[in-house]
Amino acid sequence: SNDDGIEAKGLHVLVDALSRVPGNQVYVAAPDGQRSACGHGISMFEMLKIDERQVPGAVWARAVSGTPADSVKFGMKYLAREENVRIDVVFSGINHGGNIGSDVHYSGTVSAAAEGLLCGVPAVAVSLGTHHPTDEMLENCSALIQDISKRAVPELEKTTLLNVNFPPVPPAEIKGLRVTRLGPREYDERFDLLENPRGQKYCWYSGRLVQYE
């Protein structure tokens, strides 16, 4: 799953990477459009529309009109009940933009992975630290995704979520993999209050990332 939508390049690279691992069968349930920063919300008071899609490398793919969490919940429950398919692990991503610090609380990518935990399986969220990833950057994630699938996933507890962030640099500049803890993430936030021609007040929310040295 992901939060950038089922047509996002990052999701297709993720599916391709996982489908290359011998023994893997990949199933996709992802939002039908952009749902970034929607957190872990689910749709309780509106219907979900489900559309069949073709995603190269996936044996089954559905676009869901709701949130990333809706998508994972639907996919896992539907497949278990209707297709007798039990999901072993949830992968979410590859997100266009990093998910670090307090951002994980807002992230639809991390929330899709977290829904996997609530449904009883381990999960991996994968993000790339730029909103404008190049093909080279996305493909750079592929080898490590396959490595995680082969080596880490079989050892994961059902209560474990790995949040993996790739730096947006050429492959030669990546020094390795480090397991770490979430650090701070702060924004200089503002609401710009405006008025429309009818005198109604409205506002735009924006925020500038505060850089730490």
Side-chain angles (χ1 to χ4, degrees):
S1 194
N2 71 347
D3 71 353
D4 291 318
I6 197 166
E7 300 299 335
K9 178 68 179 293
L11 177 71
H12 288 240
V13 173
L14 175 64
V15 171
D16 178 72
L18 292 172
S19 68
R20 292 175 182 271
V21 177
N24 277 359
Q25 286 189 305
V26 183
Y27 297 81
V28 175
D32 60 5
Q34 178 59 253
R35 302 286 191 281
S36 290
C38 69
H40 204 132
I42 57 175
S43 301
M44 294 182 63
F45 302 106
E46 56 190 61
M47 69 175 183
L48 295 177
K49 293 183 288 184
I50 311 296
D51 291 324
E52 184 174 354
R53 298 288 179 90
Q54 299 297 319
V55 176
V59 299
W60 181 96
R62 298 292 185 274
V64 180
S65 64
T67 67
D70 283 331
S71 302
V72 173
K73 189 186 295 288
F74 161 76
M76 293 186 67
K77 302 296 183 181
Y78 177 88
L79 285 166
R81 186 181 68 249
E82 303 295 336
E83 308 281 350
N84 197 31
V85 172
R86 304 290 173 176
I87 299 299
D88 300 307
V89 60
V90 169
F91 272 80
S92 179
I94 301 168
N95 189 63
H96 300 183
N99 277 301
I100 61 178
S102 58
D103 285 355
V104 301
H105 297 289
Y106 304 108
S107 168
T109 302
V110 177
S111 294
E115 185 62 31
L117 296 190
L118 295 182
C119 293
V121 301
V124 181
V126 183
S127 302
L128 182 57
T130 174
H131 292 285
H132 305 285
T134 65
D135 289 346
E136 181 186 40
M137 291 176 185
L138 288 168
E139 293 298 338
N140 186 34
C141 303
S142 181
L144 183 55
I145 289 170
Q146 293 176 59
D147 201 30
I148 290 171
S149 177
K150 289 184 287 189
R151 298 174 57 196
V153 167
E155 304 297 326
L156 292 181
E157 299 287 341
K158 292 183 178 180
T159 53
T160 299
L161 189 163
L162 299 181
N163 183 39
V164 184
N165 281 275
F166 286 85
V169 298
E173 295 183 24
I174 292 183
K175 298 178 181 179
L177 186 65
R178 175 176 292 175
V179 179
T180 185
R181 289 164 39 170
L182 289 173
R185 186 78 155 169
E186 182 182 352
Y187 295 88
D188 179 13
E189 300 171 299
R190 61 183 294 172
F191 288 89
D192 293 316
L193 189 63
L194 303 168
E195 184 175 302
N196 69 18
R198 296 182 179 181
Q200 298 169 313
K201 299 289 194 302
Y202 67 97
C203 63
W204 282 103
Y205 164 75
S206 63
R208 180 180 59 85
L209 179 64
V210 177
Q211 296 287 350
Y212 290 91
E213 299 295 339

